[in-house]
């Protein structure tokens, strides 16, 4: 029987990617070391659990659209959203526990960044408010 | 007189630039913006293939069969879209002398002198153009 590590916590955001965050993170679990280049690492269970917890909190608490998730060659997990006026991303580093949000306005040169150390008190709330500003 | 070493900057706004996207960077048909900006090892130059000199299918086959890399397919942006973002596109044909499989259609989108945030922002905009055009090869399943 196949077990899905995040099956107990399946959640689906509002709009956005049709595949749940949990299923998308499961897809990262199967990537082998060197999946992109010789330096790209595999994704450890703890790293994925950390990202799942952070995303779950943001998507549920702030009613965000379901993000599209991708691995980065450095071992980070990247969430992306597209809206009519903005491209929004959140790159999460399981090693440093940092999350860097970036909002890019499509019809101008406006770019807004919002880096946070997720271990700081209130960081998740501030990050959720930043993302909400562009995703609602 | 123009030297033969002078870089050839592409100017036909309608010319398509084919880009191969790693399978891990496509989710439910949507390519990640990472696929449309150079990685740290790319020296601020994003490899593409010129639509004037090759096809979406031939570019895919060159990348996978001749170079041995993975690809989920060919997406494209136009030269004019790059120029609109102040990203020059330079012809960069790969000759046999390089030791690599020759590729006369090879070109690079230049992301020179930009901050990390600017690179990300411009990559996100290119990804939006490419997504709007859709995957060109293999054709998406109906």
């Amino acid at each position: 029987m196949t077990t899905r590590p995040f099956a107990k916590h399946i959640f689906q955001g509002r709009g956005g990617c049709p595949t749940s965050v949990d299923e998308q993170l499961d897809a990262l679990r199967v990537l082998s070391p060197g999946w992109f280049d010789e330096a790209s690492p595999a994704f450890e269970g703890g790293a994925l659990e950390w990202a799942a917890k952070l995303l779950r909190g943001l998507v549920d608490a702030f009613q965000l659209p379901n993000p599209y998730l991708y691995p980065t060659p450095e071992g980070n997990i990247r969430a992306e959203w597209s809206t009519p006026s903005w491209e929004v991303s959140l790159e999460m580093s399981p090693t440093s526990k940092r999350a860097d949000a970036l909002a890019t306005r499509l019809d101008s040169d406006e770019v807004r960044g919002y880096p946070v150390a997720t271990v700081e008190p209130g960081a998740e709330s501030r990050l959720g408010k930043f993302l909400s500003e562009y995703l609602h | 007189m123009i030297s033969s070493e002078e870089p050839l900057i592409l100017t036909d706004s309608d010319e398509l630039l084919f880009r191969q996207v790693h399978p891990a960077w496509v989710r439910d048909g949507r390519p990640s913006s990472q696929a449309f900006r150079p990685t740290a090892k790319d020296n601020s130059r994003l490899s593409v293939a010129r639509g004037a000199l090759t096809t979406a299918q031939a570019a895919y086959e060159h990348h996978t069969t001749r170079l041995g890399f993975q690809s989920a397919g060919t997406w494209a942006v136009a030269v004019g879209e790059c120029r609109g973002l102040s990203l020059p596109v330079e012809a960069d044909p790969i000759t046999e002398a390089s030791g690599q499989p020759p590729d006369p259609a090879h070109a690079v989108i230049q992301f020179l002198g930009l901050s990390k945030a600017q690179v990300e922002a411009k990559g996100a905009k290119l990804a939006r153009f490419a997504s709007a055009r859709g995957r060109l090869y293999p054709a998406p399943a109906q």
Side-chain angles (χ1 to χ4, degrees):
Chain A
M1 188 178 93
T2 303
T3 57
R4 295 189 52 249
F6 304 114
K8 282 188 290 189
H9 306 292
I10 285 177
F11 63 99
Q12 181 81 39
R14 293 99 196 136
C17 183
T19 303
S20 74
V21 165
D22 293 325
E23 287 177 88
Q24 293 188 69
L25 289 174
D26 279 352
L28 304 192
R29 186 181 291 275
V30 302
L31 294 174
S32 305
W35 63 269
F36 185 81
D37 57 28
E38 64 279 0
S40 47
F43 288 84
E44 304 292 336
L48 297 175
E49 291 284 2
W50 172 77
K53 185 169 178 290
L54 177 60
L55 286 168
R56 188 178 303 127
L58 293 170
V59 170
D60 283 351
F62 293 90
Q63 305 280 298
L64 303 180
N66 210 37
Y68 289 78
L69 300 183
Y70 307 96
T72 80
E74 297 80 22
N76 296 337
I77 297 151
R78 186 177 171 86
E80 295 183 356
W81 295 264
S82 296
T83 78
S85 301
W86 296 87
E87 281 290 320
V88 181
S89 65
L90 177 67
E91 189 156 324
M92 298 160 281
S93 167
T95 51
S96 69
K97 300 291 187 286
R98 293 193 63 82
D100 290 290
L102 191 77
T104 301
R105 190 171 177 90
L106 293 171
D107 61 0
S108 75
D109 289 334
E110 187 178 357
V111 180
R112 295 186 189 173
Y114 197 80
V116 297
T118 61
V119 294
E120 289 178 0
E124 191 174 309
S125 178
R126 291 195 300 275
L127 187 55
K129 284 177 187 164
F130 176 85
L131 293 171
S132 293
E133 189 179 336
Y134 302 100
L135 296 175
H136 287 151
Chain B
M1 182 177 143
I2 296 175
S3 156
S4 61
E5 298 301 315
E6 192 97 0
L8 173 61
I9 300 297
L10 305 188
T11 56
D12 178 0
S13 292
D14 295 330
E15 182 175 359
L16 289 181
L17 303 166
F18 300 131
R19 176 72 183 157
Q20 303 305 313
V21 180
H22 191 283
W25 283 355
V26 180
R27 163 53 63 187
D28 293 303
R30 180 192 187 278
S32 171
S33 63
Q34 294 177 98
F36 294 91
R37 58 176 161 87
T39 66
K41 294 191 300 189
D42 291 333
N43 293 323
S44 303
R45 291 151 56 97
L46 184 73
S47 284
V48 290
R50 294 184 58 187
L53 299 178
T54 188
T55 65
Q57 178 174 351
Y60 173 84
E61 288 168 355
H62 180 84
H63 189 79
T64 56
T65 307
R66 300 195 71 186
L67 299 179
F69 297 133
Q70 297 182 75
S71 174
T74 303
W75 275 258
V77 296
V79 168
E81 291 163 349
C82 297
R83 296 179 73 189
L85 296 174
S86 301
L87 298 172
V89 186
E90 179 185 340
D92 184 36
I94 294 173
T95 62
E96 220 158 321
S98 70
Q100 301 173 58
D103 183 7
H106 187 256
V108 291
I109 302 173
Q110 298 176 347
F111 286 69
L112 301 171
L114 301 174
S115 69
K116 183 171 181 284
Q118 287 173 320
V119 169
E120 281 209 31
K122 289 175 189 285
K125 289 180 178 179
L126 288 183
R128 180 68 78 99
F129 287 129
S131 286
R133 203 166 267 119
R135 190 175 70 182
L136 303 183
Y137 183 85
Q142 297 298 311

